[in-house]
Amino acid sequence: MKDKLLREILQPDTEFTPIPFWFFNDAFEEEKVKNQLADYVEKGVNGIVLHPRIGVPKEMPYLSESYFGAVRFIVKTAAELGMKVVLYDEGMYPSGSAHGMVVEADPEYAAKGIVLLEEEAAKEKLAAEENARVIAALPDGRQIVYGFSGGTIRGIHFGEDDGQPGAPKAADILNPDAVDEFIRLTHDKYYEELKEYFGTTVIAFFTDEPSALGRNSGRYRPWAAGMEDEITAAGGKPEELEGLFIKTGRTVEGREDIAEHVENFTVNLYHQLIKKKLREVFYARLSGWCEKHGIALMGHPAESNDIEEELYFHIPGQDLIMRRVAPETGGLMEFDSVQAKLSADIARHLGRRRNANECFGVCYRNQIPWYMTAGDMKWYIDWLGLRGVNLYVPHAFYYSVEGERKGERPPDVGPNNIWWRHYRRFSDYMKRLSFLMTDSVNGAEFAVLCDNNRAPYEEIVCLYENQIEFNYLPAALLEEAVVQDGRVCIQGYAYRGVLNVLGQSYEDRFGGKLGELLWNAAAKDVMSVVSEKLYYEEKGTGPVNEKRIGPGLRDVKTDVPCPALRKIVLNKNGVDMVLFGNEGNERISVNVTIPGLELPLFVDLWRGICYRTEGAGEIFHLELQPSETVLAVCNAGRAVQGAENGSIAVEYRRADWYLAAYPDWTDRFVPEERRDNEAVYTMKYTMPQSAPQVSEGRTVQSDKDSLRFAVRGEEMVECFCNGVFVDVSFWGEHHFDVGSFLREGENEIRLVVTGNAANIYENAGIAFGLKN
């Protein structure tokens, strides 16, 4: 079983491919489509989200016969290449309006909401809109009025972007009739055109951050017709809805678009009702349609901590966007830091095999479009994978970057970027992580209680920093969990407790069901409560992560504190594994203890190699550079013996392998040529005749076996030896081992350094080359 598993880890099935947004944003050309999709497959990308974007010519109207002529060809070509296609349900986003066609079918289907207006302005709106009405009149004469929000969506033709005259009108997705019209126009039409591919090539519909108001709707708030009666019946007072329009002056740090408003009973009731209606009217209808037609609903809701919306997705998902979670901060303290683990854990607790993340969108540096590095991308891939994401949706691959198209939500993270010729490194890596996180169980001993738009993040940073695993458990799903044998059981997980940091109301709600299994804690007391409730064997008075947490593989400890170290225990196909990752900016060098561990086999998922280290057992050394991961396959010794004589090569490393020197040769390279966004450097190296020799106190066979070096440079560095490609390095101090490429006598080592794509598309002038 371990042999088979190792082969699948190293060469995972195409099922685990990244499925990027493919911005279909220009005139349809058959050969261009064929060539691009074939190129994707060659780079290890075996699926796309077919996403119409700004740049589609007006001669190809959305959902027209000419549009579907292109779509049919694209899907047919994908099928011939063995690719999967996820259909996108809008033109362009947010979802629910069919590029304005819903409102064209009936102007009353336009997005609506409530707004607080002065008395005169209210009169004008009531006079202008036949169906506008007053929801509440305030004592000072102001009125809360229900009517058209004026919201729009981003369209697919030039002139249809935010604020432009042609921006399509958003639909009222809290109106069941409008949503039915949307489904008739889009989903039913796609099925009519592509039904032979549904469930085979076409695997899902992607819905993108649905909005009840549309974009650019000003101070309007979502509203469903008749909601005032529901609020009154529940004890609310419509006039208290004024609190929706009065800001407290506080915003979520790093998210100026999320402002806090005055809360009261009616406002809280409003939030619950409006979210419930959106789920029942929009999400439930889409979910049911997809299920009926043999495909999955995937995509993501509007906010990172939207929870109950995720319950309708067959592939729960989220959106890692705009550097809201950033490598430079470590990705723990931001409001959006809950999103990847939240959607992954919801999938676990729903029994869904996959969960997705639309990742890398607009994640550029320093407000310079296109300024995103390959190192950034690797960090984000790790960040997502270590939280359980197992379907990557890179944002985005561009069909065209001609003219204005290159500036539409850059960067392209695929074919139009500098790393594309080496993209197989990234696609294989995402496949390996996705395979590991699919059909496996993680090592969480307890759950952290969350609720819709209430997912703790600052309070549980201490758990990440002490390598203590947990899973988010939504209150809606906790209702369905059962208590059995002193555990909280749901979908194959049996938790020793559920940590509640949300407050007294949740203690009142679940205390009777869970009893002592509900661990109530204030934010500052999380570690002490977890320490008390879990079994610990004290090891002196040192830091928390010098204590032992639980039995077996969960009993992982380091000899020094490692706040940037992440750890996830996995069991897949009966095989125990531990995945380690470095989310920090400094090297991690620690000794790790896993009691009972024998002969671990280590897998470098990035390079696709397996190795053993002399003497590694219960205690082994862990060396991780920033943005580096390693998988420890536990007790794999004899089980992989046969594999070592077959196609799986296993390296044997000395116990001190991590001390191997990579001398800095930056100054030994001479500039040869500088052209456009590339700089070329060369050096000559003369290799003596092979003979055993002593180097750094150890006997090695020859320079040919051990020659390695480092260079300092930005950004992508490709190494060639005697004209033969050796390796590529994308970040950090660039390490190369050219030993096996050397010949006796004189050799030429050549480095090609490529600058950031922002230099090409933005003329950004970002420095590149070797550093002096």
Side-chain angles (χ1 to χ4, degrees):
M1 179 62 75
K2 288 188 176 70
D3 293 358
K4 180 176 183 295
L5 180 65
L6 282 172
R7 295 177 196 280
E8 291 174 327
I9 291 172
L10 294 175
Q11 298 176 335
D13 189 84
T14 56
E15 174 190 359
F16 304 102
T17 180
I19 301 182
F21 270 13
W22 184 49
F23 282 7
F24 181 53
N25 61 355
D26 206 341
F28 168 61
E29 299 176 32
E30 289 189 358
E31 285 304 308
K32 185 174 181 178
V33 167
K34 281 184 179 179
N35 293 338
Q36 284 198 16
L37 296 187
D39 190 25
Y40 292 179
V41 171
E42 194 271 330
K43 300 298 192 301
V45 177
N46 307 101
I48 56 168
V49 178
L50 203 176
H51 185 0
R53 297 288 289 205
I54 286 180
V56 172
K58 291 185 178 180
E59 296 74 33
M60 186 190 290
Y62 185 59
L63 303 181
S64 66
E65 179 54 38
S66 60
Y67 173 85
F68 272 111
V71 168
R72 284 193 297 269
F73 182 85
I74 291 165
V75 174
K76 177 177 179 291
T77 303
E80 292 168 351
L81 291 167
M83 300 178 78
K84 302 300 182 186
V85 175
V86 174
L87 301 174
Y88 191 87
D89 70 4
E90 188 52 81
M92 158 169 76
Y93 71 88
S95 294
S97 305
H99 192 251
M101 295 169 64
V102 171
V103 179
E104 290 174 9
D106 188 337
E108 276 301 309
Y109 290 163
K112 299 181 180 69
I114 56 174
V115 64
L116 179 61
L117 297 174
E118 297 294 336
E119 188 172 6
E120 286 303 313
K123 289 180 181 179
E124 292 176 7
K125 185 171 183 65
L126 292 167
E129 297 179 18
E130 180 179 353
N131 293 320
R133 65 179 182 275
V134 176
I135 301 300
L138 304 184
D140 61 3
R142 292 177 302 159
Q143 297 177 344
I144 299 174
V145 180
Y146 171 65
F148 293 121
S149 71
T152 57
I153 71 168
R154 301 187 72 212
I156 62 171
H157 307 307
F158 289 124
E160 295 182 343
D161 208 343
D162 287 332
Q164 295 181 330
K169 290 185 178 181
D172 180 5
I173 61 173
L174 295 176
N175 179 340
D177 294 335
V179 174
D180 288 344
E181 181 70 11
F182 168 64
I183 291 173
R184 185 187 69 78
L185 289 167
T186 54
H187 295 62
D188 288 348
K189 182 65 173 174
Y190 270 104
Y191 183 72
E192 179 185 332
E193 298 283 350
L194 301 168
K195 56 188 171 185
E196 68 267 34
Y197 298 104
F198 267 56
T200 52
T201 299
V202 175
I203 61 171
F205 248 120
F206 194 105
T207 197
D208 201 350
E209 55 187 56
S211 168
L213 293 172
R215 298 165 68 87
N216 303 298
S217 56
R219 300 182 67 242
Y220 280 82
R221 303 289 178 259
W223 191 261
M227 242 176 70
E228 61 269 35
D229 295 333
E230 296 179 62
I231 286 176
T232 301
K237 300 176 181 179
E239 61 271 21
E240 289 185 350
L241 292 169
E242 179 190 11
L244 290 169
F245 305 95
I246 302 174
K247 293 183 180 180
T248 64
R250 298 188 302 272
T251 58
V252 173
E253 185 176 357
R255 292 293 306 275
E256 297 303 317
D257 56 320
I258 301 180
E260 295 186 7
H261 297 271
V262 174
E263 295 292 305
N264 55 51
F265 176 81
T266 303
V267 167
N268 289 331
L269 179 61
Y270 160 85
H271 288 308
Q272 295 170 19
L273 282 174
I274 205 72
K275 300 281 281 187
K276 181 173 182 289
K277 287 186 177 295
L278 183 59
R279 294 193 296 270
E280 292 175 349
V281 174
F282 188 80
Y283 288 100
R285 277 174 164 75
L286 267 59
S287 182
W289 190 96
C290 289
E291 193 163 333
K292 180 180 177 181
H293 291 80
I295 62 173
L297 175 63
M298 66 181 287
H300 61 85
E303 296 298 337
S304 293
N305 60 1
D306 281 340
I307 290 176
E308 294 190 12
E309 289 80 357
E310 297 279 14
L311 305 183
Y312 293 90
F313 286 89
H314 304 105
I315 302 175
Q318 263 300 342
D319 183 14
L320 189 69
I321 190 172
M322 296 176 67
R323 221 172 180 88
R324 290 173 178 168
V325 176
E328 51 268 23
T329 63
L332 290 182
M333 295 297 292
E334 291 89 351
F335 170 82
D336 296 273
S337 66
V338 300
Q339 53 135 290
K341 182 150 182 60
L342 196 57
S343 55
D345 291 346
I346 288 171
R348 289 181 171 112
H349 294 135
L350 289 174
R352 312 280 200 239
R353 290 186 69 237
R354 308 298 296 275
N355 74 93
N357 197 283
E358 176 194 330
C359 45
F360 320 141
V362 202
C363 284
Y364 49 72
R365 299 181 177 195
N366 303 339
Q367 302 303 309
I368 303 174
W370 285 90
Y371 187 18
M372 178 179 169
T373 70
D376 290 344
M377 187 160 66
K378 173 63 162 57
W379 187 91
Y380 283 119
I381 292 170
D382 290 348
W383 192 89
L384 294 167
L386 286 160
R387 283 153 180 78
V389 170
N390 62 11
L391 201 168
Y392 291 84
V393 182
H395 179 301
F397 289 13
Y398 289 36
Y399 175 66
S400 171
V401 289
E402 291 297 317
E404 297 175 47
R405 295 171 181 85
K406 70 179 175 62
E408 203 272 294
R409 300 299 191 266
D412 179 320
V413 294
N416 295 290
N417 218 304
I418 64 170
W419 50 69
W420 180 243
R421 57 185 174 270
H422 301 293
Y423 195 80
R424 193 79 193 216
R425 302 287 180 97
F426 291 96
S427 61
D428 284 350
Y429 185 62
M430 286 184 271
K431 285 178 182 176
R432 291 172 186 138
L433 284 173
S434 296
F435 171 78
L436 283 172
M437 297 301 159
T438 304
D439 301 325
S440 58
V441 177
N442 73 353
E445 283 275 354
F446 66 98
V448 172
L449 183 63
C450 57
D451 205 352
N452 217 31
N453 305 115
R454 295 197 67 188
Y457 60 104
E458 293 174 307
E459 302 92 331
I460 50 85
V461 166
C462 55
L463 302 179
Y464 283 109
E465 292 184 338
N466 287 283
Q467 297 82 54
I468 299 174
E469 289 189 75
F470 69 93
N471 287 335
Y472 282 117
L473 180 56
L477 295 180
L478 181 53
E479 297 279 7
E480 302 173 11
V482 298
V483 177
Q484 184 176 345
D485 299 327
R487 299 269 180 149
V488 181
C489 301
I490 181 170
Q491 284 292 342
Y493 284 87
Y495 297 116
R496 298 171 65 177
V498 177
L499 179 66
N500 169 33
V501 296
L502 297 182
Q504 183 65 45
S505 63
Y506 291 86
E507 184 176 353
D508 296 340
R509 180 176 172 185
F510 294 108
K513 177 177 183 174
L514 301 186
E516 292 185 355
L517 298 181
L518 185 64
W519 304 347
N520 298 296
K524 60 180 175 39
D525 297 326
V526 165
M527 279 308 305
S528 61
V529 169
V530 170
S531 300
E532 175 189 348
K533 295 294 185 178
L534 289 179
Y535 168 75
Y536 279 101
E537 178 183 336
E538 296 288 346
K539 293 292 183 182
T541 59
V544 171
N545 73 334
E546 289 188 9
K547 301 174 182 180
R548 299 177 61 185
I549 306 171
L553 285 176
R554 297 178 179 89
D555 191 7
V556 176
K557 67 181 192 302
T558 60
D559 61 346
V560 294
C562 292
L565 178 65
R566 304 288 171 261
K567 174 219 73 178
I568 182 168
V569 171
L570 298 169
N571 183 283
K572 184 177 173 76
N573 299 341
V575 178
D576 292 320
M577 297 170 281
V578 186
L579 178 64
F580 296 96
N582 181 358
E583 284 183 2
N585 299 314
E586 304 292 335
R587 182 185 65 158
I588 289 175
S589 182
V590 295
N591 291 317
V592 176
T593 301
I594 305 178
L597 181 64
E598 298 176 2
L599 297 172
L601 182 74
F602 299 98
V603 183
D604 181 333
L605 299 171
W606 173 250
R607 296 175 179 83
I609 60 173
C610 300
Y611 64 91
R612 283 205 182 93
T613 302
E614 290 178 350
E618 286 193 355
I619 301 176
F620 59 89
H621 187 80
L622 182 65
E623 189 83 10
L624 292 175
Q625 298 294 332
S627 294
E628 189 172 12
T629 59
V630 69
L631 178 72
V633 182
C634 304
N635 303 325
R638 286 181 290 275
V640 297
Q641 189 65 39
E644 292 171 12
N645 298 321
S647 61
I648 298 180
V650 179
E651 296 181 4
Y652 286 85
R653 297 181 176 179
R654 293 177 55 131
D656 61 351
W657 65 270
Y658 54 91
L659 298 177
Y662 281 82
D664 188 341
W665 281 12
T666 305
D667 294 339
R668 297 179 65 172
F669 282 89
V670 177
E672 181 182 90
E673 184 181 5
R674 196 172 185 91
R675 55 181 185 244
D676 298 327
N677 201 37
E678 286 187 345
V680 180
Y681 302 81
T682 59
M683 67 163 287
K684 302 295 184 182
Y685 179 80
T686 302
M687 192 187 78
Q689 292 183 346
S690 300
Q693 53 189 279
V694 175
S695 175
E696 299 179 359
R698 292 182 295 150
T699 300
V700 296
Q701 288 302 110
S702 68
D703 281 359
K704 184 175 175 61
D705 295 318
S706 63
L707 188 69
R708 56 178 63 94
F709 64 88
V711 291
R712 292 169 284 108
E714 294 287 349
E715 173 170 341
M716 182 176 78
V717 182
E718 297 165 295
C719 178
F720 299 82
C721 185
N722 299 319
V724 177
F725 176 71
V726 175
D727 202 358
V728 60
S729 176
F730 298 99
W731 60 83
E733 185 179 71
H734 304 279
H735 290 181
F736 297 103
D737 190 335
V738 295
S740 60
F741 295 85
L742 295 173
R743 59 192 178 209
E744 292 187 3
E746 187 173 79
N747 297 265
E748 181 189 69
I749 302 173
R750 183 167 173 261
L751 302 179
V752 178
V753 185
T754 304
N756 192 272
N759 292 340
I760 301 171
Y761 298 103
E762 299 289 332
N763 196 26
I766 298 167
F768 66 95
L770 297 188
K771 296 180 179 179
N772 295 327

